[in-house]
């Protein structure tokens, strides 16, 4: 089973954190001649080497917080754009002067399908149900 987008981002967040922390520890140990066998340094190095899948749920929760922040930075503008497109389609479909609403119905269906597919990947978007009237 493919992991959800939020879980994939959380794993990537852990990988990024581990990379940065390794660099930081290496720099501090070299610059300040910290002993490699120091228990605290060993604890950090152990966590760096632990794959995300093997972390405790408590540790994963911390990565998930940052994953949600990253996802919000991407999903919020996407949601706004899709909702605006969706509203435009619905507005055109309510226009009694519209002779052939097929294109707008198709466009609205594409937006609804995209929102559903993103939802299956763990990205929740709120696209309102279609208004009563023309179309579906």
């Amino acid at each position: 089973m493919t992991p959800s987008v939020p879980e994939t981002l959380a794993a990537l967040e852990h990988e990024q954190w581990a990379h940065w922390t390794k660099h930081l520890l290496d720099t501090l140990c070299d610059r300040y001649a910290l002993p490699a066998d120091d228990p605290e340094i060993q604890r950090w190095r152990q966590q760096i080497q632990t794959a995300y899948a093997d972390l405790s749920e408590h540790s994963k929760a911390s990565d998930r917080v940052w994953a949600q922040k990253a996802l919000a930075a991407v999903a919020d503008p996407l949601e706004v754009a899709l909702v605006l497109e969706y509203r435009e389609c619905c507005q055109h479909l309510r226009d009694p002067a519209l002779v052939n609403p097929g294109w707008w119905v198709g466009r609205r269906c594409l937006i609804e399908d995209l929102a559903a597919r993103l939802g299956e990947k763990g990205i929740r978007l709120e696209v309102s149900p279609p208004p009563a009237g023309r179309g579906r």
Side-chain angles (χ1 to χ4, degrees), residues 49-118:
Q49 294 173 4
T50 304
Y52 176 77
D54 298 330
L55 293 174
S56 69
E57 282 303 311
H58 177 75
S59 293
K60 285 180 181 179
S62 148
D63 291 321
R64 287 175 182 140
V65 166
W66 286 99
Q68 285 301 324
K69 289 179 182 187
L71 187 56
V74 175
D76 287 352
L78 176 62
E79 181 173 11
V80 168
L82 285 175
V83 166
L84 290 174
E85 280 285 320
Y86 188 80
R87 285 181 184 162
E88 180 183 3
C89 291
C90 293
Q91 180 180 358
H92 283 285
L93 288 170
R94 283 192 296 266
D95 182 355
L98 186 63
V99 177
N100 183 0
W103 187 88
W104 291 106
V105 170
R107 182 91 174 128
R108 188 180 71 198
C109 291
L110 287 172
I111 294 168
E112 290 169 352
D113 290 345
L114 177 59
R117 285 197 323 263
L118 290 170

Side-chain angles (χ1 to χ4, degrees), residues 2-19:
T2 305
S4 68
V5 171
E7 202 62 12
T8 301
L9 287 175
L12 185 60
E13 171 57 31
H14 176 69
E15 185 179 328
Q16 182 277 138
W17 171 86
H19 179 80

Side-chain angles (χ1 to χ4, degrees), residues 21-34 41:
T21 303
K22 180 186 180 313
H23 171 75
L24 181 65
L25 284 176
D26 290 347
T27 301
L28 290 174
C29 287
D30 288 348
R31 182 171 289 164
Y32 299 107
L34 297 176
I41 291 174

